[in-house]
Structures are given as C-alpha cells and as structure tokens.
Amino acid sequence: MPDRIIPLSSDTETTPSEEMRQAMAQAPVGDEQKGADPSVNALLERTCEILGKESALFLPSGVMCNAVALKTHTRPGDVVIAEHMTHIIRSEAGGAGICSGILLEPVVTPNGIFSADDVDQTLARISTAPVPYAPPARLLCFEQTHNFSGGTVWEYDQLQGAADRGRELGLATHMDGARLFNAVAATGVSAARFSACVDSVWVDFTKGLGAPLGAVLAGSREFIAEARRYKHAFGGAMRQAGIVAAGCLWALEHHLERIEQDHAHARLLSAGLGAIDGIGLLNPEPRTNIVFFDVSGLGLSPKRFTALLKDHGVEMSSIGGLVRAVTHLDVSRSDIHTALEAIQQLACRK
Ligand SMILES: *Cc1c(COP(=O)(O)O)cnc(C)c1O
C-alpha cells in the first residue's frame, strides 16, 4: 500500500494548511449566536463585499444554507423549481421535504443548465393559471457550478436570462454556489455579478477552498433577518465559531487566486484519460475541477475500478454509474501524472 493516497474523490478532501491552522488558533472569538464573534463578523463582512449582498449568515454547512434559504423563501405546499440532478434534489436526504414541506419540480437537462424557455415550459406544466388547485410556484434554484454534470458553468447570460424570466413570472431566485468561485475562475465574471442575478446565494469554504467547515448564505437585509430565525431553529446558531470562521477568512484571502490551477489539473487529467483505451469521458473538456468518466470499456464496474485504483494509491469516487475525480489544493500536477500512470496500469491489466 502506498504511504500517501492521492485524494481525488472530492474537493472536500482538503485538510487545513499550517498557516490556516495558525490563523484559526489566533482568532479573536465571541458568542456567534449573539452576533458577538469578531472573526465571524469579519468573514460575513468580507463575503458580503465579494458577493455584493447586503447581509449574510455563517452556517456550518452548505446543506444547511440550502435548508435555511428554502425555508425562508417558501411556505409548505409551495413549488420549488430546480434542475433534476441538483444537490437540493439528489443529495440532501430529502431535507427540502423534511424542513420546508415543499414540492420540488425538476427541470431535466443534459448538463445542469436551463434557459428562460425552460422556465416558461416548467411553469406552464405546473399551471400558472389562477386556479385554486394549482400548487403555487415560489422559487427558482440554480447550482453554480453543476456538480453531477461535471462542474459545468452557468455563463453569465444564461444565468441572467433564466433568473430574469423567473422573476418576471413572480418567482424568487436562489443560487447554490458551493462552487461559485470555480465559475468565477473559469469565466472571469465576478462573484458579485453572478450573485446579482439572484435573491439569495451561498458559498462553501470546504469545496476546494481548504477550510475544515463553514459556509455563508447571503441576501438582502430583510431576507437574512428572517433566515436567522431558521438558522437557529435548525440548530445552526453557534458559540465561539470564530475559530472556524478564521479558517474561512484565510481561504478567501489566500485560496481564490489559485483555483485556476485546479482547472488546469482537471484538463490535464481529462486529456490523459481520453488517451486511454476503454475510458469514456462524460465531459471531455472540463471547464472547472470535476472529471466524470465511464470505465465499462475496461470491463470494470465503477466500484471495482475505484477499489483497484485505491490499491495503487489513488482515491476517486463512484457516482451514478461513473467514476468522478475532483481536483483541489491538496492535489498537485505530479499527483495527476501519478494518477494517470496508475490508471494506465489498471487499463493494461484487463
Ligand atoms: C457539497 C455541495 C453542497 C453541500 O455542501 P456541504 O458543505 O457539504 O453541506 C451543496 N450543493 C452542492 C452543489 C455541493 O456540491
């Protein structure tokens, strides 16, 4: 067994750097629940600036950001529209139903991105006529970047077009920005510009930014004032949370600039995989840090492939019948070469 496993299974596999740990150890702290933690407040202020929003909340996880946002935007029985392979639908343990009692209306797309016309068609399907039996459509959700399509990016015009149509039709808009900063690195469009398209947005400090935990949900002053109640109700109000927020602040100051390296590593991995017989790429030209591929041509199931690969010192994950590799700040260029060599060996063994 190799002494280090190359952690390509997810961009959440990062561990805090020595410098980040120092920043965390030295953080001034107070009672977060009372709004009196100076490190949390500094993080919120900085995140508001970056996202161009009035107000923000610190939460332990991205899932809780989605839960609090959905609860704040809706009442039980409302319809929330989201792409069919989004995290809100696929990966939150049914939380939208448990916490908010809403109906989810999926928009089916091949790549996670939908248009203003798709918004029209979805609303027409639900029925926008003022009839007493139609469930009221309330909220339109976006996932930037779209994880299960291979980190696909909403271009600014696509996002603005779909969000504007939603707003014209009376919907509130929400962005799951778990990887918003990857979209920023890929497009050169600022996080504030993307965020201006939607009423609420959150970013995750554990997705390729290297922090051990923490996410921030942002929106208007009124939205966040109401969301604060649900943060508390869902158990997301904390105490001396500045210890963690200081790690997030460190990530904002030091780890945004380097994200393009992760994208270059994903392109390198993808090009190498494309040259191996028996491997089929879902997204042959990855825009961001996620590569999905099919290994059935090697005569292996994704689970068998990832188990064998781990014996070769490389960890990837098996998701939806495919293998997923995600690059991040704890994976170097030479790690990508090592991973490709290991896969080449597996492919030759068949
Ligand atoms: C990881 C992820 C989440 C949830 O974030 P956590 O911090 O892990 O709770 C939500 N949406 C997307 C698109 C994600 O990739």
Side-chain angles (χ1 to χ4, degrees), residues 47-292:
T47 309
C48 280
E49 260 168 42
I50 292 175
L51 299 180
K53 292 293 186 201
E54 283 176 357
S55 190
L57 282 180
F58 187 47
L59 290 161
S61 69
V63 169
M64 204 183 283
C65 289
N66 277 334
V68 167
L70 260 52
K71 184 71 186 165
T72 309
H73 281 298
T74 64
R75 288 190 300 173
D78 284 352
V79 176
V80 172
I81 298 167
E83 202 281 335
H84 82 303
M85 291 305 290
T86 48
H87 204 275
I88 286 175
I89 295 183
R90 300 286 161 201
S91 307
E92 301 192 353
I98 297 170
C99 301
S100 301
I102 53 166
L103 298 171
L104 282 162
E105 181 69 27
V107 184
V108 178
T109 76
N111 61 355
I113 313 297
F114 54 82
S115 65
D117 283 352
D118 293 324
V119 175
D120 280 339
Q121 283 166 26
T122 304
L123 276 168
R125 188 162 74 228
I126 298 166
S127 170
T128 46
V131 289
Y133 51 78
R138 198 71 69 191
L139 178 68
L140 181 60
C141 296
F142 302 94
E143 187 173 297
Q144 178 76 302
T145 66
H146 192 270
N147 177 10
F148 287 142
S149 300
T152 49
V153 173
W154 284 83
E155 299 298 338
Y156 177 77
D157 290 346
Q158 293 172 322
L159 181 66
Q160 190 199 30
D164 281 358
R165 184 61 55 86
R167 202 170 291 118
E168 282 159 28
L169 296 169
L171 301 175
T173 50
H174 170 70
M175 181 157 67
D176 170 339
R179 296 186 183 80
L180 174 59
F181 293 123
N182 293 90
V184 170
T187 58
V189 174
S190 71
R193 244 185 124 217
F194 279 128
S195 302
C197 297
V198 290
D199 301 315
S200 57
V201 55
W202 63 269
V203 289
D204 209 330
F205 296 97
T206 65
K207 294 281 167 74
L209 289 182
L213 61 104
V216 168
L217 172 67
S220 70
R221 210 162 273 122
E222 303 80 64
F223 176 84
I224 292 298
E226 209 183 324
R228 187 176 303 280
R229 175 181 168 208
Y230 298 116
K231 165 178 156 86
H232 202 104
F234 295 165
M238 295 171 277
R239 298 300 183 185
Q240 286 72 31
I243 294 275
V244 191
C248 302
L249 198 52
W250 176 269
L252 275 187
E253 280 159 9
H254 298 89
H255 295 164
L256 290 186
E257 298 298 318
R258 54 156 309 287
I259 288 178
E260 174 45 35
Q261 285 176 36
D262 297 338
H263 298 178
H265 293 162
R267 291 193 295 271
L268 183 67
L269 178 65
S270 176
L273 289 170
I276 298 174
D277 261 358
I279 287 189
L281 290 156
L282 172 78
N283 53 330
E285 285 168 18
R287 285 292 300 286
T288 58
N289 64 331
I290 304 177
V291 178
F292 272 96

Side-chain angles (χ1 to χ4, degrees), residues 283-322:
N283 53 330
E285 285 168 18
R287 285 292 300 286
T288 58
N289 64 331
I290 304 177
V291 178
F292 272 96
F293 57 99
D294 180 12
V295 291
S296 55
L298 300 178
L300 295 170
S301 70
K303 281 211 161 62
R304 182 83 187 119
F305 175 88
T306 50
L308 289 171
L309 190 60
K310 196 163 178 187
D311 292 340
H312 283 68
V314 182
E315 189 153 27
M316 293 186 180
S317 52
S318 142
I319 295 181
L322 297 171

